[in-house]
Amino acid sequence: MTRSEENYIKAIFHLGGNTPTLVATNAIAEQMETKPSSVTDMAKKLADKGFLNYQPYQGVSLTDFGIKTALSIIRKHRLWEVFLVRKLDFSWDEVHEVAEQLEHIKSEKLIDKLDELLDFPKYDPHGDPIPTKDGIFLERDKQLLSELPINTKGVCVGVKDTSSAFLKFLDKYNIALGKTIEVLEREDFDESLHIKMEGKELQISHQIASNLYVKKND
Amino acid sequence: MTRSEENYIKAIFHLGGNTPTLVATNAIAEQMETKPSSVTDMAKKLADKGFLNYQPYQGVSLTDFGIKTALSIIRKHRLWEVFLVRKLDFSWDEVHEVAEQLEHIKSEKLIDKLDELLDFPKYDPHGDPIPTKDGIFLERDKQLLSELPINTKGVCVGVKDTSSAFLKFLDKYNIALGKTIEVLEREDFDESLHIKMEGKELQISHQIASNLYVKKND
DNA sequence: ACAAATTTTTAGACGTCTCTAAATTCACTT
DNA sequence: AAGTGAATTTAGAGACGTCTAAAAATTTGT
Ligand SMILES: [Mn+2]
Ligand SMILES: [Mn+2]
Ligand SMILES: [Mn+2]
Ligand SMILES: [Mn+2]
């Protein structure tokens, strides 16, 4: 597996999930910041190698083997992100770029030992689940803050937008995973929310609320 | 800098050190397990980029910039080796292969934080010195065990042969860095040594003694 | 149902890194 | 000083991954 092949498989997984949906050539090209013609070439190669099914003009879908491969790369990516935050004091907006490189290191022992060092974390610093060694991958029960009803509370469990800009914005307002947020009021005009967090009230735009995942309190 | 360029620079440094000696094309090819013609191509490219001086038919020598680059790669390699041994319980014969990959990860912050996590180690698991962030690189005061006079003691500080086979052999006989060895007798016939280590006497071949570095006791 | 717009593929090319085979240069011996 | 053998470079090609431009297939809209 070359680095490029791994990146394509990861991109296709992110676009199609484990569903048998066909992922379009253009969608992959956009995700990878490359050209559709390059995607076609790679699709043929990955199909030959058994990672995906390629239907010309229709799109591609990962095989079971392809999904397994994707999960292994995602596992590595997210474990390294946890390592960087917990052991090397990186902030959550700095880890992705480095994890993009580290995820391609080939050593099963390395990743198993890293998992152990970190005490088998279930989620990465952005709240995304970490697949287990045997490919078990459970999406967390969560919803967007923007969809939380008025006068209910939820715990921050993840972000949808993982851009550095958004993460730094959250840092600035002390919004972090694990904190409890109560929705006080929703403005009809611009869908902005009045929320309460750690006793303090603040107002956040729809753009923020629709990129923050919460788990509703039981 | 591509991964291939980095590997060439590291190989050239290992062959020539910081001396202005010319390193031969064939020597580089052998070290890199590639063909001389490939080395010539790369030598031209690296000379263009300012990493080395290339004298056709004579060989190459690293520029100051090339040496600085080599030291930075070696620093990364050795810090990762320390990490693998100290934090992930790798044994000293397993780390090199993984460090060969990790040394190419590009992030200054990563390596500085790793250095800090490991408490700024001076030597790697094989006793080789780790260059500092600003390129200071001191060879340790050491000699081969085979050159230690009779009835003198020395502390194991490094290995010359870093092959997995040799390192595992040392493990088997409990020979490890930090242990004190006394030379009791040298057989003229095969240059094998009678040594004493931790109260126990054993006999080791010249091949072993000439691949183990010790620091003579004052 | 057909024309237009969009998506996807094909064809041909380029940069990087590698190789083999052949030519050239160097170093050593006589 | 010339000849021989080794080291090195050059020439030409292939694998990989990318691109642009053009062709083909599909989808969309009337
Ligand atoms: Mn990430
Ligand atoms: Mn993440
Ligand atoms: Mn090593
Ligand atoms: Mn080492």
Side-chain angles (χ1 to χ4, degrees), chain B residues 78-96:
Chain B
R78 294 184 179 166
L79 280 173
W80 279 115
E81 287 190 345
V82 174
F83 170 75
L84 293 171
V85 166
R86 297 229 293 245
K87 300 293 179 182
L88 299 189
D89 282 318
F90 276 59
S91 56
W92 66 343
D93 62 289
E94 296 173 311
V95 296
H96 183 75

Side-chain angles (χ1 to χ4, degrees), chain B residues 9-201:
Chain B
I9 287 171
K10 195 167 53 122
I12 293 164
F13 182 88
H14 280 133
L15 290 166
N18 8 29
T19 65
T21 330
L22 288 177
V23 178
T25 302
N26 268 7
I28 299 168
E30 197 174 331
Q31 173 88 14
M32 300 273 304
E33 295 180 42
T34 184
K35 300 294 166 187
S37 55
S38 305
V39 175
T40 301
D41 284 352
M42 187 57 88
K44 288 175 185 166
K45 185 155 61 126
L46 292 175
D48 281 349
K49 295 192 177 185
F51 293 108
L52 48 81
N53 297 305
Y54 169 50
Q55 295 183 237
Y57 294 101
Q58 301 305 311
V60 301
S61 62
L62 292 176
T63 59
D64 285 350
F65 176 50
I67 291 170
K68 205 182 128 212
T69 304
L71 288 174
S72 144
I73 302 164
I74 291 167
R75 170 173 158 79
K76 288 190 270 184
H77 182 101
R78 294 184 179 166
L79 280 173
W80 279 115
E81 287 190 345
V82 174
F83 170 75
L84 293 171
V85 166
R86 297 229 293 245
K87 300 293 179 182
L88 299 189
D89 282 318
F90 276 59
S91 56
W92 66 343
D93 62 289
E94 296 173 311
V95 296
H96 183 75
E97 187 194 333
V98 184
E100 284 291 309
Q101 299 179 61
L102 287 163
E103 72 188 4
H104 300 290
I105 302 292
K106 278 159 192 62
S107 166
E108 206 182 319
K109 177 163 184 171
L110 173 62
I111 208 66
D112 291 343
K113 286 289 191 175
L114 191 65
D115 198 15
E116 188 183 331
L117 175 74
L118 300 169
D119 216 11
F120 310 102
K122 289 201 169 60
Y123 302 101
D124 85 357
H126 312 102
D128 294 314
I130 298 174
T132 65
K133 192 172 158 58
D134 23 70
I136 295 166
F137 178 62
L138 296 174
E139 261 306 334
R140 179 173 233 168
D141 174 35
K142 68 188 179 190
Q143 61 193 291
L144 291 173
L145 175 59
S146 55
E147 287 159 6
L148 205 61
I150 301 290
N151 291 321
T152 52
K153 289 182 181 174
V155 180
C156 275
V157 294
V159 288
K160 187 173 174 189
D161 175 1
T162 57
S163 72
S164 184
F166 181 55
L167 299 176
K168 278 184 170 142
F169 175 91
L170 295 178
D171 283 344
K172 185 170 168 189
Y173 289 95
N174 270 308
I175 302 170
L177 302 195
K179 294 203 177 176
T180 298
I181 290 176
E182 180 176 0
V183 180
L184 303 175
E185 193 185 341
R186 170 175 282 110
E187 293 288 353
D188 279 344
F189 178 64
D190 65 352
E191 295 188 79
S192 67
L193 296 181
H194 294 258
I195 64 170
K196 193 173 185 176
M197 190 184 70
E198 294 184 321
K200 276 181 282 185
E201 289 187 23

Side-chain angles (χ1 to χ4, degrees), chain A residues 147-167:
Chain A
E147 287 158 8
L148 204 62
I150 301 289
N151 291 321
T152 52
K153 288 181 182 175
V155 180
C156 275
V157 295
V159 288
K160 186 172 175 191
D161 175 0
T162 57
S163 73
S164 185
F166 181 57
L167 299 176

Side-chain angles (χ1 to χ4, degrees), chain A residues 11-13 15-17 20-28 58-62:
Chain A
I12 292 164
F13 182 89
L15 291 166
T21 330
L22 288 178
V23 178
T25 303
N26 268 8
I28 300 168
Q58 302 305 311
V60 301
S61 61
L62 292 176

